[in-house]
Amino acid sequence: MLVPVVQTLARRRLIREYAWIASVIVVITVGGWFSPLSYQALGYIYLLGVLALSLHLARWPVIVGTLLSALTWNYVFVPPRMSFSAMNLDDSLLLGTYIVVALIGSQLGVLRAASQRALLLAESERLHQTLL
């Protein structure tokens, strides 16, 4: 009886994480559309958004967000606009390092969360042993 409740809560959390990713990508895209920044600078802003999300979200939503934001950046801002273009070498390197850095950031976020859980579990065990 408890398993469906846990699954429902996990599903809601996952939906909330994907909604956060989608909203951050939409905000950056709309803001970038009206800004005078170059498309390279907007690529770095997308990267900052994904790295900020990687500190708070799980691994797979961040990986999906990384790929989605990279595709959005390529489609909307990299010339020629509104197409998945064959980029020059500089843009390809920027996109490649963007994806690698975002994936590393998501992994570090997951490791940080696991470390915090381990510390919390150790503290809980210590308090449990003290009480008994």
Side-chain angles (χ1 to χ4, degrees), residues 1-113:
M1 189 100 137
L2 186 61
V3 172
V5 173
V6 172
Q7 288 176 344
T8 303
L9 291 175
R11 188 175 301 124
R12 284 184 184 168
R13 179 175 176 242
L14 196 61
I15 290 171
R16 187 172 47 244
E17 288 182 357
Y18 282 113
W20 266 104
I21 288 170
S23 61
V24 166
I25 291 172
V26 166
V27 165
I28 293 172
T29 303
V30 170
W33 192 259
F34 295 107
S35 76
L37 297 174
S38 69
Y39 69 93
Q40 291 99 343
L42 288 169
Y44 292 124
I45 292 172
Y46 275 109
L47 179 61
L48 287 174
V50 169
L51 287 176
L53 288 172
S54 72
L55 297 175
H56 301 288
L57 303 180
R59 177 183 300 144
W60 285 107
V62 172
I63 290 172
V64 170
T66 298
L67 297 176
L68 184 63
S69 65
L71 291 173
T72 303
W73 174 72
N74 186 4
Y75 185 78
V76 176
F77 295 110
V78 175
R81 287 184 168 196
M82 300 306 178
S83 68
F84 293 107
S85 61
M87 299 182 291
N88 60 27
L89 181 62
D90 293 343
D91 295 337
S92 299
L93 286 174
L94 180 62
L95 185 63
T97 56
Y98 171 87
I99 291 172
V100 168
V101 167
L103 292 176
I104 290 171
S106 68
Q107 182 65 24
L108 290 175
V110 168
L111 291 175
R112 184 183 65 116

